[in-house]
């Protein structure tokens, strides 16, 4: 899709004052691929990004994100930006347009004439990304894996809050004001380029610009989900712990095979590693996940799904709830019973029940106000999904509406 007229200028339709901090110092080309493991010389940021381990990738396609437009995608399609997992490199794979890359790659820009062969300093390519769910953006990762000498010289990122279903034409309206998140910043090839974002606002879309052209393998937009209070109020009963509704995993006993965050993703698990699975215990303990609900609510129905977990599903499970003084997101909750801050104890919501492999288990429970939930599984194994159906309390709905209005 070519929409070159709108968004032509590097600063067109953008509020000044991009606020970010570069977390990496990678710039320039990476050495040409010399054979063997293509990731052997990959420049990554595991230690830096560990500070964002609890955040959600708001640009996750499993939440409904999509790359809805780009001005150019000659060598590689824009949709590759949001593929899960690391980019794949096959040195022997070529097509009729050239080397096939697992990322978004545009053609080489040229100047206006033989006398001016180089691109204008303002020339750039862009892609529009709809976030899977609105949220506050805390970090952006621009991954140029396998783009060694064909990555962009620099990138910049902006964001806007509009209807989640806004069309490309609406987003490219020159009258629409975007907020700068990352000012034009040099990046490195074959590297995980990370930026911390310091803008306390709720956004629905981002615009990624690469200057002047080149290729980017993956884009990750890490942040905190901020749902639409009016939508949740209209639903009445909904999943209070679902990631798309603003629920979150706070901690877990084990992340060995797959992360606990999978348990609150949309839809049913499609394969074994699409759920949460722990290592095999050789002691007398048990595994658990603690969650923060979107806000204070009352749970009335519970689903524990062991889909695709057949010889490794948890044997039993029980559920506990806690009302953290009526404040969702309160810190200092210790798994096992008490609050580190001296608040109320955990209260059992669901007695220990037997779980079957690859099965959806449904239970009705006595409603009680809660801001946090913990599932204990015995002795180990995994679950695919946890659904906690209920409604916000009046206090929880009011607090959510006030918080959202303050950052919208």
């Amino acid at each position: 899709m070519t929409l070159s007229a709108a968004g032509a200028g590097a600063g067109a339709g953008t509020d000044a004052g991009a606020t970010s901090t570069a977390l990496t110092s990678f710039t320039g080309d990476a050495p040409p691929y010399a054979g063997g493991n293509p990731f052997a010389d990959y420049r990554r940021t595991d230690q830096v990004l560990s500070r964002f381990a609890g955040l959600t990738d708001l640009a996750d396609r499993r939440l409904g994100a999509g790359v809805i437009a780009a001005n150019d995608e000659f060598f590689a399609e824009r949709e590759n930006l949001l593929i899960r997992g690391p980019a794949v490199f096959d040195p022997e794979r070529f097509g009729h347009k050239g080397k096939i890359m697992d990322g978004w790659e545009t053609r080489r820009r040229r100047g206006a004439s033989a006398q001016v062969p180089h691109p204008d300093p303002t020339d750039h390519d862009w892609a529009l990304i709809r976030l899977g769910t609105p949220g506050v953006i805390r970090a952006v990762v621009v991954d140029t894996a396998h783009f060694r000498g064909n990555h962009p010289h620099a990138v910049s990122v902006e964001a806007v809050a509009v209807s989640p279903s806004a069309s490309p034409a609406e987003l490219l309206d020159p009258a629409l004001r975007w907020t700068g998140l990352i000012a034009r910043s040099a990046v490195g090839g074959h590297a995980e380029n990370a930026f911390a974002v310091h803008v306390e606002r709720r956004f629905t879309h981002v615009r990624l610009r690469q200057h002047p052209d080149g290729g980017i393998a993956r884009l990750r937009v890490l942040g905190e989900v901020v749902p639409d209070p009016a939508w949740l109020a209209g639903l009445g009963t909904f999943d209070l712990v679902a990631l798309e509704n603003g629920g979150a995993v706070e901690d877990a006993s084990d992340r060995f095979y797959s992360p606990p965050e999978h348990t609150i993703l949309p839809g049913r698990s499609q394969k074994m590693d699409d759920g949460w699975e722990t290592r095999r215990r050789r002691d007398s303990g048990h595994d658990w996940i603690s969650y923060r609900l979107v806000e204070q609510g009352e749970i009335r129905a519970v689903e524990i799904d062991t889909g695709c977990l057949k010889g490794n599903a948890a044997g039993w499970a029980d559920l506990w709830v806690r009302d953290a003084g009526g404040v969702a997101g309160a810190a200092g909750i210790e798994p096992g019973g008490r609050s580190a801050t001296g608040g109320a104890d955990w209260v059992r919501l669901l007695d220990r029940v037997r779980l079957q492999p690859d099965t959806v288990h449904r239970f009705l429970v006595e409603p009680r106000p809660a801001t946090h939930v913990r599932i204990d599984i015995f002795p180990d194994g995994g679950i695919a999904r946890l659904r906690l159906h209920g409604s916000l309390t009046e206090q929880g709905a009011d607090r959510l509406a006030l918080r959202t209005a303050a950052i919208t």
Side-chain angles (χ1 to χ4, degrees):
M1 182 173 187
T2 301
L3 298 167
S4 58
T14 305
D15 291 332
T19 306
S20 65
T21 302
L23 300 178
T24 54
S25 57
F26 307 134
T27 56
D29 298 347
Y33 175 64
N37 178 8
F39 279 104
D41 61 341
Y42 177 61
R43 296 177 283 180
R44 63 178 311 118
T45 55
D46 283 347
Q47 291 184 346
V48 175
L49 291 180
S50 64
R51 63 192 278 193
F52 300 114
L55 295 178
T56 298
D57 183 4
L58 302 175
D60 191 333
R61 278 199 57 80
R62 294 173 297 183
L63 293 175
V67 187
I68 61 175
N71 70 307
D72 186 290
E73 47 185 330
F74 185 85
F75 286 114
E77 296 80 9
R78 64 184 191 257
E79 288 85 0
N80 292 338
L81 283 170
L82 306 188
I83 291 176
R84 304 304 306 169
V88 176
F89 180 71
D90 181 352
E92 304 298 327
R93 192 177 180 207
F94 286 83
H96 69 280
K97 291 184 179 180
K99 184 73 186 72
I100 296 176
M101 297 294 290
D102 184 9
W104 169 50
E105 186 180 8
T106 65
R107 71 194 80 200
R108 299 189 187 214
R109 284 185 171 269
R110 296 291 183 251
S113 66
Q115 289 70 40
V116 187
H118 299 289
D120 186 87
T122 62
D123 284 351
H124 66 278
D125 294 317
W126 52 263
L128 297 176
I129 296 93
R130 178 190 64 245
L131 300 180
T133 179
V136 176
I137 299 169
R138 302 298 185 193
V140 174
V141 179
V142 179
D143 186 352
T144 58
H146 314 304
F147 290 95
R148 295 171 175 270
N150 51 347
H151 62 287
H153 173 71
V155 299
S156 58
V157 178
E158 304 136 308
V160 71
V162 292
S163 167
S165 56
S167 69
E170 291 171 312
L171 291 167
L172 294 169
D173 184 343
L176 185 63
R177 302 301 302 179
W178 291 71
T179 297
L181 301 184
I182 301 171
R184 182 169 174 164
S185 303
V187 294
H190 197 42
E192 195 174 42
N193 303 274
F195 304 86
V197 176
H198 315 296
V199 180
E200 199 69 23
R201 293 268 303 278
R202 176 182 183 269
F203 296 111
T204 59
H205 296 75
V206 297
R207 176 164 54 189
L208 170 65
R209 302 184 194 255
Q210 54 175 341
H211 308 267
D213 54 36
I216 296 170
R218 299 286 188 267
L219 177 72
R220 304 295 184 229
V221 183
L222 308 178
E224 298 161 6
V225 175
V226 182
D228 180 355
W231 174 253
L232 297 183
L235 291 176
T237 296
F238 60 92
D239 185 354
L240 292 163
V241 78
L243 188 60
E244 61 189 321
N245 293 332
V249 169
E250 290 208 321
D251 202 359
S253 61
D254 188 289
R255 296 170 177 263
F256 191 84
Y257 285 115
S258 46
E261 287 80 7
H262 284 179
T263 61
I264 53 176
L265 284 172
R268 291 205 67 203
S269 174
Q270 300 301 306
K271 50 193 176 70
M272 190 170 70
D273 67 350
D274 194 20
W276 172 58
E277 184 187 0
T278 73
R279 74 193 82 194
R280 300 186 187 215
R281 279 192 171 268
R282 304 305 187 199
D283 58 22
S284 58
H286 69 277
D287 290 314
W288 51 266
I289 307 174
S290 61
Y291 303 89
R292 184 185 71 247
L293 304 183
V294 56
E295 246 299 347
Q296 186 189 62
E298 292 187 342
I299 301 163
R300 295 189 293 273
V302 172
E303 292 185 34
I304 303 174
D305 185 358
T306 57
C308 301
L309 295 165
K310 298 181 178 180
N312 50 353
W316 293 264
D318 55 28
L319 279 174
W320 301 75
V321 296
R322 180 176 180 273
D323 187 14
V327 181
I333 301 172
E334 295 179 344
R338 296 200 62 85
S339 162
T341 56
D345 289 350
W346 290 93
V347 176
R348 191 188 296 272
L349 182 71
L350 177 68
D351 290 335
R352 193 173 301 180
V353 293
R354 186 74 168 91
L355 299 182
Q356 300 300 322
D358 196 28
T359 300
V360 177
H361 309 76
R362 295 187 170 122
F363 310 95
L364 298 178
V365 295
E366 180 183 352
R368 64 175 69 244
T371 56
H372 296 78
V373 171
R374 192 184 78 241
I375 185 168
D376 294 343
I377 64 169
F378 302 86
D380 55 25
I383 61 171
R385 297 289 188 268
L386 177 67
R387 307 295 186 212
L388 304 176
H389 303 289
S391 304
L392 293 179
T393 63
E394 183 177 354
Q395 184 183 20
D398 289 345
R399 267 201 312 265
L400 178 62
L402 286 172
R403 263 203 323 272
T404 304
I407 56 174
T408 299

